Amino acid sequence: MRDSFFTYFVLGLTLGVIIAQLSGVAVTLSRKNRRQALAGSVTRPDPLQLQVARRRFLVIAGATIMGSVAVGLAGRRLVSPPDKLSLPVEAALPVTATPVPATATPIPDRRTRGGNGTFTPGSGSNPGQPGRGNSNRGAVPTTAPATTPAASSSAPTKGPVLATVASLPVLSALKFTTPDTNEPAFLIREADGSFKAFNGVCTHRPYDLIFDSAQQMLVCNLHNVPFDLISGAPTRFPARSPLQSYPVSVDSQGNVIYQRA
């Protein structure tokens, strides 16, 4: 907004100077002709004087335009330094893991049933194999291997727990402070249930953002700039750079973990 105002102001000032110069030339010629008419000796303007006046006008107009451009460039650099347009958009790590239930499916028991109705580890010519009969001679107990919870799609690195899947509903946000850089940030749960984390400070000027649930945007109230929750990019000026994103993951217990840099 400041850049646009300053640019239009300089252009308007330059146009006003050109109009003033042209008006001055017209008024000067008109007065000269009027004086000559009153004196009764109306003559055509001297071509040499016209050439000098034209050259003087071009010099003044050119100097005005060059000065306006120089002042505009210097003022724009002082008032609003250029942003880092080359900052890449850091995509948050996709989170597709789902919490695994704590109770694993039991392995079917293949032991033989004895005559008294009880289960006994079998024995036979091949120890350790389910038996063929009710004899316990040479029995080798078999132990079912322990089942392990299914791993997530990407093994998360241990880090601070920001929230849980159950505590953060879809299309909501949680404000937190990054453990490693001590900066304000937001944990966002997207419409598809995935999680993303973005820095909570506006990239145009250091000003804390707020989460607008109606717009589903992170908004800077200083210049009313919304930031997209998927890419972190601003949707309007004066902000140009996207928000920094932080990688997060979900472990098998449903904890949303902050991945340290």
Side-chain angles (χ1 to χ4, degrees):
M1 294 174 63
R2 292 196 305 270
D3 295 346
S4 301
F5 173 78
F6 199 84
T7 301
Y8 293 141
F9 174 76
V10 172
L11 292 177
L13 182 62
T14 303
L15 182 61
V17 171
I18 293 176
I19 294 176
Q21 291 291 333
L22 291 176
S23 301
V25 172
V27 170
T28 300
L29 294 178
S30 176
R31 289 178 180 177
K32 182 178 180 180
N33 291 335
R34 190 180 301 114
R35 286 196 302 267
Q36 291 177 351
L38 292 176
S41 57
V42 178
T43 58
R44 297 183 62 184
D46 187 3
L48 182 60
Q49 293 181 355
L50 288 178
Q51 185 177 1
V52 172
R54 189 181 299 110
R55 185 179 302 171
R56 184 178 303 170
F57 168 75
L58 292 177
V59 170
I60 295 176
T64 302
I65 294 175
M66 293 180 63
S68 300
V69 172
V71 171
L73 294 177
R76 180 176 179 179
R77 188 170 185 84
L78 291 175
V79 174
S80 179
D83 294 328
K84 298 179 180 179
L85 299 178
S86 59
L87 181 64
V89 178
E90 300 177 6
L93 296 179
V95 180
T96 57
T98 56
V100 178
T103 57
T105 304
I107 295 179
D109 195 345
R110 299 179 60 187
R111 294 174 293 181
T112 59
R113 181 183 296 272
N116 56 358
T118 60
F119 286 97
T120 58
S123 64
S125 59
N126 186 10
Q129 185 179 0
R132 300 169 184 171
N134 298 328
S135 175
N136 292 332
R137 177 171 52 89
V140 179
T142 59
T143 304
T147 59
T148 57
S152 59
S153 58
S154 60
T157 305
K158 293 183 178 180
V161 176
L162 301 178
T164 61
V165 175
S167 65
L168 193 61
V170 176
L171 300 179
S172 61
L174 173 67
K175 190 172 184 180
F176 68 97
T177 302
T178 55
D180 46 1
T181 59
N182 197 29
E183 295 180 354
F186 284 90
L187 177 65
I188 310 293
R189 189 169 188 186
E190 306 286 354
D192 59 356
S194 61
F195 291 88
K196 290 183 180 179
F198 292 103
N199 188 280
V201 179
C202 180
T203 57
H204 173 248
R205 181 180 293 183
Y207 197 84
D208 287 348
L209 304 178
I210 62 170
F211 174 70
D212 191 333
S213 58
Q215 300 184 56
Q216 284 298 305
M217 295 277 188
L218 292 176
V219 182
C220 175
N221 283 333
L222 185 61
H223 294 107
N224 194 24
V225 178
F227 289 85
D228 185 72
L229 294 184
I230 298 179
S231 62
T235 59
R236 62 180 296 272
F237 289 134
R240 295 182 177 90
S241 304
L243 297 171
Q244 180 184 1
S245 63
Y246 303 106
V248 293
S249 60
V250 179
D251 64 6
S252 60
Q253 303 299 322
N255 297 320
V256 183
I257 299 177
Y258 175 85
Q259 305 268 340
R260 294 182 182 272

